[in-house]
Amino acid sequence: QVQLVESGGGLVQTGDSLRLSCAASGRTLNWDTMGWFRQAPGKEREFAAATTFIDGNTIYSASVKGRFTISRDSAKNTVYLQMNSLRPEDTAVYYCALTPRVYRGTDHKGYTYWGQGTQVTVSS
């Protein structure tokens, strides 16, 4: 059974940084893709970033590109999301997701497993 556990959320001010972590268990990640999505109150779940474990390829949404960096540690089965220059509009619950294949898309339906989410709040 695959489990994803996120950590690192919190309350910060505009311009601050946070690093989210997501540790996967129950599976050795080789050809997998892990991504980060976020959901603000009253809004749909939104893609933020993703990376493939086999080659480290990354993709970002336009809203986070240049501010957020996704990375992975294959030895730890963990993916990170470094978030810099945070803005109030980044406030959301951030979810880690995994699909056991190379996936270059941004649709949440392309992912099989999900973490429980971690709250990120950016005050103005």
Side-chain angles (χ1 to χ4, degrees):
Q1 181 72 13
V2 174
Q3 287 189 320
L4 304 177
V5 178
E6 301 113 330
S7 61
L11 171 63
V12 296
Q13 295 184 332
T14 298
D16 285 351
S17 298
L18 273 178
R19 189 177 82 154
L20 305 182
S21 300
C22 176
S25 61
R27 177 178 174 82
T28 299
L29 305 183
N30 293 312
W31 294 91
D32 304 67
T33 302
M34 289 187 73
W36 288 96
F37 289 77
R38 63 187 187 181
Q39 188 165 20
K43 294 188 177 181
E44 293 186 353
R45 193 164 295 192
E46 173 192 29
F47 171 80
T51 185
T52 47
F53 269 68
I54 193 64
D55 58 9
N57 184 69
T58 58
I59 53 175
Y60 297 93
S61 69
S63 59
V64 308
K65 193 171 186 179
R67 299 187 299 123
F68 292 10
T69 302
I70 189 170
S71 60
R72 87 262 191 255
D73 185 331
S74 298
K76 296 182 178 180
N77 269 13
T78 298
V79 67
Y80 305 95
L81 187 67
Q82 177 66 43
M83 305 185 295
N84 298 329
S85 302
L86 283 162
R87 306 166 179 168
E89 53 263 41
D90 295 317
T91 296
V93 176
Y94 282 70
Y95 296 92
C96 173
L98 182 151
T99 181
R101 60 189 175 121
V102 173
Y103 180 60
R104 309 291 190 192
T106 62
D107 191 340
H108 70 278
K109 296 177 183 177
Y111 287 83
T112 306
Y113 303 100
W114 292 84
Q116 80 286 355
T118 184
Q119 177 71 46
V120 172
T121 304
V122 185
S123 64
S124 58

